[in-house]
């Protein structure tokens, strides 16, 4: 973006040609219509009367709103919405309203930015009604980010735009939560929900379709999501699919790289645009990433169109070379090396917060060892939840979630799309920006406001909230080191990224793409670990020597392992204790005045605990809960002196949730239960 003042002529550049051409055509059509009307042919005049009137009215409306290209309003919009973009992004944003578009966007190339600016342009310059626009995002976090950016760009009218995940969209269409959504033991069937929505759309071809449909991360759609997009798009819908075949990583979840490859056939004619300027990473990171992805067969972008640093950032310093560490594959040893690297990173930059560093691994198993080490060494870390997990206990069962449900459940009058609870949740979340549960509830409340019918009853809202909560949260306290699988890191970015390799990566193009996604999350530095000996060879054919000679890569000798080589293999790892292994009714069997309730009320998620045998204690040695009878194996592991651990969440239980057989023993209507994770040192 140029800071120099621009003349009015500069502000109506080539990008407007589409608009100008449209207008010229319209004016020609208007003239032709009038000529025909004046021709004296009464039949023709009668037939053309209505179209001529509609056209006159449309042009007049543009004039009234000062929106004809070249007008002051139009120029201001230009400055606001088009100038902060590259020429390629700009052409996408103000493209004509006809024809489908495929945007093949490299990592960090501004695809969210393009979608947000395009929608704002449609609303403001083209006067498209907000309710005609639908954008589908791949998870709740991505939807929230798009909504925020859109609101910042286009203000209040942007609220009318539908920005949802595929599942939330399905939920909105079928208009109800699925039966059993509140019951913990009935898994919500996302695929069925999508199928129902597709069937409903197909049965109602007359139902109004959006005029503009945006689909982000098109490369990772499941067959059911693909069908939903197809059913949502009507004959007059302009579809913009944004994605990157190089970042297809959900093959195992039914997603198919074929969908993005087929887009051009499915929706022909399609205009294809490549977004290759990267605004995120340094040149060394981009060079290594490009070498990583190059061997993949059948890429849509092709080797002659590499992702490269954005032209506007060319003058910035090049940044540090990518570090490649040959490391022992054993998870405990590698965890120790990673922790060293994290410590060094924090020591070098006093302003750096742990949440700006991410450690990415192929599997959660590799992260569990590091998580245990962090707990023992007193470094706060947070492990991202399984993407697409359908956990039975959701954020709504936590203490904070229950408060939101209570607020929803006792309305004096029906909420307007849960507006009051949303305001309340956002207040709590603003007060506690580092509290992942509140942050997650805020996202949920926002989504509810989009999904729920305007005059939903309280029970309807509660049901919908339960259905929405089945999608996992994205964690993120700025004070906690971020640990996640490469899958969970999709769409995110971090100043420093360390990629572990505990020999769990596999050979092949799918893994290569996953490693590419991991590497391209890095903004400033990237450290790649390479297990020695390596089983997958993903890093072996990327031209290490050439990269090294060009100063883009720095191989580091394996630092001496913290333990002697013949030390017994460490199985130390963090083990989340399953709710089924915890006696969920423990505090419920105590009378309301019992000291245990007060003790539980003082606890918070993150507090340290110790598990000794069956007993869960706080650090004063006072009991706060116990394991269930089925947790015998864990109980044996936790023999004196016990296992260190911490609270992951505090659940609220109610009498109605307990099985019939247990209710007679309960002395409370409602009580709290700490969920915990502990450090164990034993093979799986
Ligand atoms: N034209 C631009 N000028 C300046 N910054 C830009 C421009 N386009 C994008 N960016 C910035 O680049 C970063 C990446 O953009 P965005 O988050 O939209 O990427 P993305 O393409 O969705 O990434 P990924 O595919 O890797 O998830 C953001 O910080 C964004 O603000």
């Amino acid at each position: 973006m140029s800071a120099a003042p621009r003349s009015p002529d500069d502000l109506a550049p080539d990008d407007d040609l589409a608009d100008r051409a449209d207008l010229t055509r319209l004016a020609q059509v208007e003239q032709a219509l009038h000529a025909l009307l004046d021709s004296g042919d009464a039949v023709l005049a009668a037939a053309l009367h209505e179209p001529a009137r509609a056209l006159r009215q449309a042009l007049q409306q543009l004039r009234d709103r000062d929106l004809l290209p070249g007008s002051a309003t139009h120029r201001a919009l230009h400055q606001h919405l088009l100038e902060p973009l590259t020429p390629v992004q700009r052409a996408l944003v103000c493209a004509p309203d006809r024809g489908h578009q495929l945007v093949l966007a490299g990592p960090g190339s501004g695809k969210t930015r393009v979608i947000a600016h395009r929608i704002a342009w449609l609303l403001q310059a083209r006067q498209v009604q907000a309710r005609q626009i639908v954008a589908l995002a791949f998870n709740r976090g991505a939807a929230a980010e798009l909504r925020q950016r859109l609101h910042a760009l286009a203000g209040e009218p942007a609220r009318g735009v539908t920005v949802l995940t595929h599942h939330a969209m399905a939920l909105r269409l079928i208009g109800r939560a699925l039966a059993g959504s509140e019951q913990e033991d009935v898994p919500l069937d996302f695929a069925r929900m999508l199928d129902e929505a597709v069937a409903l759309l197909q049965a109602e071809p007359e139902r109004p379709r959006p005029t503009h449909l945006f689909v982000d991360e098109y490369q990772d759609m499941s067959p059911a999501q693909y069908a939903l997009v197809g059913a949502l798009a009507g004959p007059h819908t302009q579809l913009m699919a944004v994605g990157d075949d190089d970042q297809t990583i959900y093959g195992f979840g039914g997603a198919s790289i074929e969908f993005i490859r087929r887009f051009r056939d499915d929706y022909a004619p399609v205009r294809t645009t490549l977004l290759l300027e990267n605004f995120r990473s340094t040149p060394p990171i981009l060079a290594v990433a490009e070498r990583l992805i190059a061997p993949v067969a059948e890429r849509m972008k092709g080797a002659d169109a590499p992702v490269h640093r954005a032209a506007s950032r060319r003058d910035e310093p090049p940044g540090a070379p990518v570090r490649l560490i040959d490391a022992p594959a054993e998870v405990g040893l590698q965890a120790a090396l990673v922790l060293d690297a994290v410590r060094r990173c924090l020591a070098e930059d006093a302003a750096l917060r742990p949440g700006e560093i991410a450690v990415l691994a192929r599997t959660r198993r590799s992260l569990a060892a590091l998580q245990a080490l962090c707990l023992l060494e007193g470094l706060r870390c947070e492990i991202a939840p399984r993407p697409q997990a359908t956990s039975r206990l959701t954020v709504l069962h936590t203490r904070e979630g229950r408060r939101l449900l209570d607020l929803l459940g006792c309305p004096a009058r029906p909420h307007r799309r849960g507006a009051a609870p949303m305001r309340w949740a956002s207040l709590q979340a603003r007060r506690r920006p580092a509290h992942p549960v509140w942050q997650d509830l805020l996202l949920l409340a926002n989504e509810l406001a989009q999904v729920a019918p305007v005059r939903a009853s309280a029970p309807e809202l509660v049901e919908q909230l339960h259905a929405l909560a089945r999608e996992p949260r994205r964690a993120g306290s700025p004070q906690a080191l971020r640990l996640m699988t490469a899958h969970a890191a999709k769409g995110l970015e971090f100043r420093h990224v360390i990629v572990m390799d505990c020999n769990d990566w596999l050979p092949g193009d799918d893994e290569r793409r996953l490693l590419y996604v991991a590497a391209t999350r890095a903004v400033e530095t990237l450290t790649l670990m390479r297990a020695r000996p390596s089983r997958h060879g993903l890093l072996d054919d990327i031209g290490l020597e050439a990269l090294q000679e060009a100063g883009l890569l720095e191989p580091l000798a394996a630092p001496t392992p913290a333990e002697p080589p013949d030390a017994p293999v460490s199985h130390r790892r963090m083990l989340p204790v399953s709710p089924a292994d915890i006696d969920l009714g423990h505090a419920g069997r105590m009378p309301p005045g019992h000291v245990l309730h007060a003790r539980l009320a003082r606890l918070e998620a993150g507090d340290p605990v110790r598990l000794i045998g069956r007993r869960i204690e706080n650090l004063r040695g006072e009991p706060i809960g116990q394991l269930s009878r089925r947790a015998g194996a864990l109980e044996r592991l936790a023999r004196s002196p016990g296992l260190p651990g911490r609270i992951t969440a505090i659940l609220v239980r109610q009498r109605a949730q307990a099985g019939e057989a247990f209710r007679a023993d309960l002395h409370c209507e409602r009580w709290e239960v700490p969920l915990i994770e502990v450090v164990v040192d034993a093979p799986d």
Side-chain angles (χ1 to χ4, degrees):
M1 186 171 52
S2 139
R6 311 182 85 189
S7 75
D9 281 349
D10 281 343
L11 293 177
D14 300 350
D15 317 309
D16 259 354
L17 282 180
D19 283 338
R20 285 171 181 274
D22 277 355
L23 275 169
T24 312
R25 267 198 300 276
L26 281 180
Q28 286 166 349
V29 173
E30 195 187 19
Q31 270 177 13
L33 279 174
H34 282 287
L36 289 170
L37 283 171
D38 294 343
S39 68
D41 182 332
V43 179
L44 204 59
L48 292 178
H49 176 76
E50 188 46 34
R53 195 193 58 79
L55 183 61
R56 253 197 321 274
Q57 202 179 0
L59 284 168
Q60 192 55 43
Q61 268 180 9
L62 285 178
R63 278 183 208 109
D64 291 348
R65 292 181 183 142
D66 195 27
L67 278 169
L68 289 180
S71 68
T73 311
H74 199 263
R75 279 206 303 274
L77 285 177
H78 220 286
Q79 206 159 16
H80 179 51
L81 295 177
L82 301 185
E83 272 199 60
L85 304 176
T86 66
V88 183
Q89 293 174 332
R90 212 178 287 169
L92 283 167
V93 167
C94 60
D97 279 9
R98 294 171 303 276
H100 301 303
Q101 306 239 38
L102 173 64
V103 184
L104 287 175
S109 62
K111 54 191 167 63
T112 316
R113 181 182 275 231
V114 165
I115 296 176
H117 282 244
R118 169 72 176 168
I119 295 177
W121 183 258
L122 290 173
L123 290 173
Q124 298 185 325
R126 299 272 166 80
Q127 298 286 299
V128 175
Q129 305 259 318
R131 63 186 158 74
Q132 301 274 27
I133 304 175
V134 173
L136 298 179
F138 75 98
N139 68 18
R140 203 188 301 150
E145 185 180 334
L146 181 56
R147 249 180 257 135
Q148 256 165 24
R149 289 214 210 171
L150 199 52
H151 190 251
L153 280 176
E156 276 310 297
R159 286 204 196 283
V161 176
T162 300
V163 182
L164 292 172
T165 61
H166 293 258
H167 296 126
M169 185 70 218
L171 191 62
R172 181 194 247 190
L173 285 165
I174 56 184
R176 63 183 172 79
L178 292 184
S181 65
E182 179 150 23
Q183 256 111 56
E184 287 148 24
D185 51 352
V186 181
L188 191 69
D189 188 342
F190 280 144
R192 203 179 91 207
M193 203 157 98
L194 290 164
D195 290 347
E196 275 197 39
V198 171
L200 181 127
L201 285 167
Q202 285 168 344
E204 293 182 23
E206 299 309 316
R207 178 192 272 260
R209 300 299 208 266
T211 56
H212 294 83
L213 175 58
F214 295 81
V215 185
D216 198 1
E217 306 280 359
Y218 197 87
Q219 78 282 359
D220 267 336
M221 277 195 306
S222 67
Q225 290 170 340
Y226 175 80
L228 179 70
V229 171
L232 255 181
H236 303 295
T237 302
Q238 185 186 39
L239 180 56
M240 184 188 263
V242 186
D244 182 3
D245 58 316
D246 289 340
Q247 296 185 64
T248 307
I249 58 172
Y250 276 106
F252 64 84
S256 166
I257 195 163
E258 286 312 316
F259 292 146
I260 189 161
R261 293 199 179 134
R262 262 169 47 185
F263 185 84
R264 283 184 273 214
D265 297 332
D266 288 346
Y267 294 97
V270 167
R271 201 148 8 118
T272 304
T273 306
L274 302 185
L275 284 183
L276 300 171
E277 285 191 60
N278 177 295
F279 290 87
R280 175 179 297 144
S281 312
T282 62
I285 295 170
L286 292 176
V288 170
E290 196 58 35
R291 292 294 191 96
L292 257 173
I293 199 71
V296 167
E298 288 184 67
R299 293 174 63 206
M300 291 176 79
K301 288 200 291 296
D304 49 344
V307 172
H308 52 269
R309 184 143 154 127
S312 61
R313 296 193 58 192
R314 286 257 166 78
D315 298 336
E316 294 177 23
V322 171
R323 264 168 291 194
L324 176 66
I325 301 181
D326 281 335
E330 201 274 293
V331 284
L333 297 180
Q334 203 164 103
L337 289 177
V338 170
L339 200 62
D340 279 351
V342 168
R343 287 248 162 79
R344 227 173 303 126
C345 209
L346 288 168
E348 278 166 13
D349 179 355
L352 182 69
R353 292 180 301 175
E356 294 173 296
I357 308 175
V359 182
L360 309 182
R362 176 68 184 81
T363 61
R364 294 174 71 83
R365 177 86 178 78
S366 294
L367 292 168
L370 178 61
Q371 199 190 4
L373 197 61
C374 286
L375 182 88
L376 297 172
E377 304 260 324
L379 179 71
R380 236 181 103 189
C381 72
E382 221 168 69
I383 190 156
R386 278 189 181 79
Q388 302 187 339
T390 47
S391 100
R392 292 172 180 181
L393 283 170
T394 72
V395 65
L396 291 176
H397 296 93
T398 62
R399 182 192 279 167
E400 296 81 0
R402 280 288 167 196
R403 284 176 66 191
L404 181 63
L405 286 177
D406 288 346
L407 195 70
L408 267 174
C410 56
R413 57 198 153 82
H415 300 291
R416 264 184 76 84
R417 285 191 177 169
M422 191 176 98
R423 273 199 302 277
W424 178 77
S426 85
L427 184 72
Q428 301 293 333
R430 264 205 312 278
R431 278 194 195 140
R432 313 177 77 172
H435 198 298
V437 179
W438 280 122
Q439 297 305 317
D440 192 34
L441 284 169
L442 175 62
L443 291 186
L444 250 189
N446 268 319
E447 200 161 67
L448 180 68
Q450 287 252 326
V451 169
V454 175
R455 290 240 147 251
S457 68
E460 277 169 338
L461 289 174
V462 168
E463 275 225 1
Q464 292 214 325
L465 205 54
H466 273 287
L468 291 172
R470 296 302 176 103
E471 281 192 62
R473 71 184 176 85
R474 64 171 188 176
S477 155
Q479 298 310 332
L481 178 68
R482 310 284 298 272
L483 311 188
M484 51 184 85
T485 60
H487 280 105
K490 169 174 161 171
L492 303 178
E493 65 178 39
F494 307 94
R495 285 177 63 189
H496 304 281
V497 170
I498 301 169
V499 184
M500 294 177 85
D501 171 11
C502 301
N503 251 343
D504 39 13
W505 296 86
L506 304 168
D509 282 357
D510 286 348
E511 296 287 298
R512 201 170 272 288
R513 279 190 278 264
L514 187 57
L515 191 55
Y516 177 74
V517 168
T520 53
R521 303 305 96 201
V523 175
E524 290 173 33
T525 74
L526 171 64
T527 304
L528 297 171
M529 301 235 158
R530 178 167 58 164
R532 274 290 169 243
S534 153
R535 275 200 319 205
H536 54 71
L538 293 174
L539 292 166
D540 295 344
D541 57 356
I542 65 170
L544 291 174
E545 275 168 25
L547 286 167
Q548 198 182 341
E549 267 167 35
L552 298 166
L553 185 99
E554 180 186 21
L556 295 182
T560 322
E563 295 171 43
D566 55 354
V569 172
S570 158
H571 294 284
R572 194 164 63 195
R573 65 188 196 279
M574 195 64 123
L575 180 76
V577 179
S578 148
D581 285 343
I582 288 189
D583 175 4
L584 297 176
H586 180 63
R589 296 193 294 274
M590 314 291 165
H594 193 277
V595 62
L596 179 58
H597 298 295
R599 209 177 276 154
L600 284 167
R602 284 194 296 272
L603 292 173
E604 287 266 11
D607 285 354
V609 294
R610 179 163 284 275
L611 178 67
I612 302 188
R614 269 186 79 189
R615 175 174 143 135
I616 306 167
E617 309 184 335
N618 63 17
L619 283 199
R620 291 214 200 106
E622 299 160 339
I624 56 167
Q626 64 181 23
L627 298 183
S628 63
R629 288 192 195 285
R630 60 158 255 183
L634 182 58
E635 188 182 329
R636 280 191 294 283
L637 276 180
R639 272 196 283 257
S640 178
L643 303 172
R646 64 174 182 179
I647 296 177
T648 50
I650 295 180
L651 295 185
V652 175
R653 301 290 291 175
Q654 312 194 76
R655 177 183 285 272
Q657 290 171 302
E660 290 281 351
F662 302 100
R663 288 197 195 148
D665 296 333
L666 296 174
H667 290 104
C668 301
E669 288 306 310
R670 201 172 158 127
W671 62 95
E672 293 188 318
V673 191
L675 286 189
I676 61 167
E677 55 190 7
V678 291
V679 178
V680 295
D681 192 349
D684 279 339

